[in-house]
Amino acid sequence: MLRNLNGPTVLTAMGAAVIGAAVAVMVTGTATPAQQPTAARPVQTPDGRPNFNGVWQALNEAHWDLQAHEALPAWVTQEGVYPYEYARVPAAPVVALGAAAGVPGSMGVVEGDGTIPYTAEALAIKQENRDNWIDRDPELKCYLPGTPRAMYMPYPFQIVQSTDKIHMTFAFSNAARVIHLDEVARPPDYTYMGHSVGRWDGDTLVVNVDYFNGKNWLDRAGNHHSEALELEERYTPLSPDALWYEVTLTDPNTYTEPWTIGMPLYRRLEPNATVLDYPCIEFSEEFMYGHVRRDQLVRRWEGETIIVDITRKVPEGDAFHDWYRR
């Protein structure tokens, strides 16, 4: 019906509806079921600490690249008609995805001048990672995302808080971490998620994380670290439903000096907010192990306007392939 109305008429009708609804609420003192407020959660836990219990999520583009970047047609591109960086086009692995393969721009979350202080050798590795994203990014293989990457991936995570432990569970890769507020022995080996020990500084939760295995990336742009990485995370309440997350990264094997990222984390306010299973391990099996099949399973995709032919390549020195085919 609205398509038969002109612009001013639509705006007038919408305004009248809003005013009418407001008057109805004022007169009756009640709201419609969709407007009923939920019960307020306690701002503090019984021991007087900020209440971090709930489902949280970052709403930014940091999982693409921690640093500021322009929007891109894809993360895997090739030279287009003109030999300029801005004229590059999506490469074969992602061209069939169209706009869904695009990378949104970002102002970045790196504090200070916005740059990551890599050593010369580490910067070269970062660029190699970026150029070989599909082959190298641990996320595509559903490896544990590591810390801090797990905190700003585009998936929710849940915090369960007690007096001496804070548990975090993540949708991606069924990852989890425990922040120990008491004394606890170190793990027997280096880990993807690190070893987290926390303390309270007023209303700010301060967490020191180390014992990494050095196999994680920080984002899809190839930013990386070594096993020498040490983190200091700070979780500071901005409101009952928002935190400021700040983490300083120190790694003398990779960076010339410590550097910091910062961003808000938001509480999911849906009444039924929860962290659902995201079984990406199963989803990535063909991507990771399809090359060991005697007969290639995924060979071709054909749509109305495009055909994609797939040729699997065995990486040189692939011990798993050699073992499987014996």
Side-chain angles (χ1 to χ4, degrees), residues 37-318:
T38 57
R41 66 179 56 81
V43 176
Q44 293 184 324
T45 59
D47 60 345
R49 300 300 184 184
N51 185 3
F52 293 167
N53 288 292
V55 178
W56 300 81
Q57 189 168 349
L59 300 177
N60 57 32
E61 300 77 31
H63 65 283
W64 283 103
D65 191 344
L66 293 173
Q67 296 178 276
H69 58 274
E70 297 179 339
L72 299 170
W75 218 229
V76 182
T77 60
Q78 66 182 46
E79 186 174 294
V81 176
Y82 303 103
Y84 305 115
E85 192 67 24
Y86 69 83
R88 296 181 68 84
V89 297
V94 294
V95 69
L97 297 177
V103 179
S106 171
M107 297 295 290
V109 296
V110 179
E111 297 184 356
D113 64 2
T115 61
I116 298 175
Y118 280 113
T119 65
E121 296 81 2
L123 181 60
I125 294 174
K126 186 265 182 182
Q127 188 57 50
E128 289 179 9
N129 289 342
R130 172 68 178 79
D131 294 340
N132 295 276
W133 170 60
I134 287 181
D135 292 315
R136 294 190 180 183
D137 188 351
E139 179 191 2
L140 274 64
K141 301 176 176 66
C142 192
Y143 291 170
L144 291 174
T147 309
R149 189 177 187 179
M151 305 302 299
Y152 46 80
M153 295 184 80
Y155 312 101
F157 63 93
Q158 185 164 12
I159 297 178
V160 178
Q161 179 180 349
S162 68
T163 56
D164 58 357
K165 307 285 184 185
I166 296 178
H167 297 261
M168 294 184 177
T169 57
F170 301 86
F172 185 82
S173 193
N174 296 321
R177 60 182 293 211
V178 178
I179 299 173
H180 304 280
L181 302 177
D182 55 354
E183 293 188 10
V184 65
R186 287 180 175 274
D189 200 357
Y190 295 98
T191 67
Y192 280 93
M193 301 300 291
H195 177 63
S196 301
V197 177
R199 58 183 173 84
W200 290 100
D201 180 9
D203 284 344
T204 296
L205 175 65
V206 182
V207 184
N208 295 104
V209 193
D210 59 6
Y211 240 57
F212 291 100
N213 61 17
K215 298 180 180 179
N216 299 110
W217 284 12
L218 299 174
D219 54 27
R220 295 175 180 173
N223 287 307
H224 63 102
H225 62 82
S226 76
E227 67 278 359
L229 177 68
E230 295 182 358
L231 306 178
E232 182 181 89
E233 299 176 296
R234 300 181 68 88
Y235 300 79
T236 303
L238 297 174
S239 74
D241 299 316
L243 303 173
W244 184 255
Y245 176 66
E246 188 174 76
V247 54
T248 298
L249 299 86
T250 302
D251 181 351
N253 294 346
T254 310
Y255 316 123
T256 59
E257 60 183 353
W259 56 285
T260 301
I261 61 174
M263 67 191 73
L265 301 175
Y266 300 98
R267 190 191 300 272
R268 295 282 294 264
L269 296 178
E270 304 95 315
N272 59 346
T274 188
V275 175
L276 299 176
D277 184 33
Y278 181 55
C280 62
I281 295 175
E282 301 169 19
F283 300 160
S284 63
E285 284 181 352
E286 190 63 31
F287 171 78
M288 293 181 63
Y289 306 122
H291 65 282
V292 303
R293 297 183 185 276
R294 293 188 182 278
D295 296 314
Q296 183 175 321
L297 180 64
V298 180
R299 295 177 176 272
R300 177 185 177 92
W301 179 85
E302 184 171 341
E304 292 184 356
T305 61
I306 194 169
I307 296 174
V308 179
D309 288 303
I310 300 171
T311 300
R312 298 300 305 232
K313 183 174 70 173
V314 179
E316 184 177 354
D318 189 326

